[in-house]
Amino acid sequence: MSKLILSMDGLVLKEIVLNKERTSIGRKPVNDIQIDNLSISGQHAIITRILGDAFLEDLNSTNGTYVNGQPVKKHVLHNSDVIELGKYRIKYLIDSSTPGVSGTELADTAALKPFEIGTLNPAEPLPAGTNTVRTRNMQSRAMSTSVGHLLEHLGVIQVLTGVNTGQELELSKPVTTLGKPGYQVAVITRREQGYFITHVEGQVFPLVNGEQLGIQAHKLNDNDIIEISGIKMEFFLRT
């Protein structure tokens, strides 16, 4: 279980267990974490939990939100990150003794290397001139797209551009994080209804089939083309 340690000038003021899906921070009493100080906006920031992971979002606050000294709008929280709100500090901690705390698997698509991610394996070589997307489309036509069938098949991301073209990442975990921390990050969540992609960090939103994502989770369909951190990837369902 993750928790927050609120402090000011080195003095611990409060410890908060993150056991809610959304935890609001701000000056108004309606917030889950109220900080009664004029440097804090009425609704300053919010922390959203997806399974074992936490995502911080600044709510257009007057004085901004910082993590480890850097201003952020959206940020994937990591163990021991320090959120800075004016003179106040909120340290994010994960209890490592709790099994299965985080389902996240980080794939830095700007520098994807097989030895960095255990589940990342080179794809089987394709015949010369084979169009990867066309091949996947042929596979998908033989597959039902009903929700029931979606749950039976494993989602896979295949890299289409860059030095790692052809490599695959199986989306076997409940949450998989893709992108380059500090620049552009998105998460793909595996739900009963299928796979969904959500933007969580960076001013530039990822693209799906050439269209920019919105703030809401977007359901992925077979053979969707995702572009994150300048790298194009194809999502497909493996039979």
Side-chain angles (χ1 to χ4, degrees), residues 130-206:
T130 298
N131 185 300
T132 304
V133 175
R134 185 180 303 166
T135 301
R136 298 305 179 193
N137 283 329
M138 292 173 63
Q139 293 176 345
S140 66
R141 281 195 289 268
M143 178 188 305
S144 169
T145 57
S146 67
V147 171
H149 281 79
L150 281 172
L151 297 178
E152 295 175 5
H153 300 297
L154 178 66
V156 179
I157 290 291
Q158 184 178 62
V159 182
L160 301 180
T161 61
V163 296
N164 297 288
T165 298
Q167 293 187 353
E168 295 183 356
L169 175 64
E170 292 186 346
L171 303 174
S172 57
K173 293 191 176 184
V175 180
T176 300
T177 305
L178 297 170
K180 184 177 181 181
Y183 173 68
Q184 190 179 54
V185 176
V187 295
I188 296 178
T189 55
R190 187 180 186 183
R191 308 178 187 176
E192 290 184 0
Q193 299 85 1
Y195 287 86
F196 291 78
I197 184 169
T198 307
H199 172 72
V200 295
E201 182 179 343
Q203 295 184 353
V204 180
F205 283 52

Side-chain angles (χ1 to χ4, degrees), residues 1-3 17-18 49 51-52 79 93-103:
M1 181 68 70
S2 53
K3 62 182 178 180
V17 175
L18 281 179
R49 291 178 66 249
L51 298 176
N79 190 38
L93 294 173
I94 298 175
D95 184 0
S96 59
S97 64
T98 305
V101 165
S102 175

